[in-house]
Amino acid sequence: MKAELKNAAYSLLSVAAAAALGALLSADTEKNALSSNLPRFAPPAAVLPILWAVLYLLTGYAFYLALSARQPDPYARRGTVVTFLCGLLLSALWPMVFFRFQFFRLAFYLLIALLILGAFTQADFYKASRRAALCYLPYLGWLVFALLLTYAAARRSS
């Protein structure tokens, strides 16, 4: 029970910290970026906070499930933690690069790196818990959509 609470706290704090950092780094900038360079298929600005809240909850739960799963190899668990936390950090930085600075090409390459980390995280989660991998899938889907959106924004701004 003690390990379960520790895993829950670790998952919740890491995801909350990434969400707060992303919000802080991109505060008051979404409206500016969403007006001119984004394609028609971009979601409305009002949807983004709700979407991100759901995605962060699901990824946090997936991380909790992966941490709580019994893994025979202690290095596998450590790799899962490092990969997931690196992805969270990049995910928190992306809104700043995209919205605040409007460096759309850099944001595009950042998303490619996020997708690569996401694929490794997905594989790690699948080995630990199939339910964790299932909970992480919507985030990967969002990354693919964000990659298309960012590509379109980069082309429009050129």
Side-chain angles (χ1 to χ4, degrees):
M1 183 68 167
K2 189 175 180 181
E4 293 282 324
L5 287 174
K6 182 179 172 185
N7 290 339
Y10 190 59
S11 299
L12 180 66
L13 289 175
S14 60
V15 171
L21 180 63
L24 181 70
L25 293 176
S26 65
D28 300 325
T29 58
E30 286 87 352
K31 292 175 187 157
N32 181 28
L34 286 173
S35 61
S36 60
N37 288 319
L38 293 183
R40 289 187 187 137
F41 64 89
V47 172
L48 293 177
I50 298 163
L51 176 72
W52 273 106
V54 170
L55 289 173
Y56 274 123
L57 283 171
L58 283 170
T59 58
Y61 184 59
F63 189 44
Y64 164 75
L65 290 172
L67 287 178
S68 298
R70 292 182 184 236
Q71 295 183 17
D73 181 9
Y75 295 108
R77 179 185 163 113
R78 195 172 304 152
T80 300
V81 169
V82 169
T83 306
F84 179 78
L85 293 179
C86 286
L88 266 184
L89 179 62
L90 288 182
S91 189
L93 293 176
W94 182 85
M96 177 186 67
V97 172
F98 186 85
F99 290 117
R100 180 175 296 275
F101 297 120
Q102 296 186 19
F103 294 153
F104 299 122
R105 284 199 176 132
L106 179 60
F108 178 78
Y109 295 123
L110 189 62
L111 276 169
I112 290 173
L114 262 167
L115 274 167
I116 292 167
L117 279 171
F120 283 113
T121 301
Q122 178 70 7
D124 288 344
F125 282 4
Y126 185 81
K127 289 176 195 169
S129 162
R130 289 196 167 90
R131 196 165 35 163
L134 192 62
C135 289
Y136 195 69
L137 274 178
Y139 176 71
L140 290 178
W142 170 255
L143 289 179
V144 171
F145 179 75
L147 185 71
L148 295 172
L149 199 66
T150 304
Y151 177 76
R155 287 195 48 138
R156 292 182 99 164
S157 70
S158 297

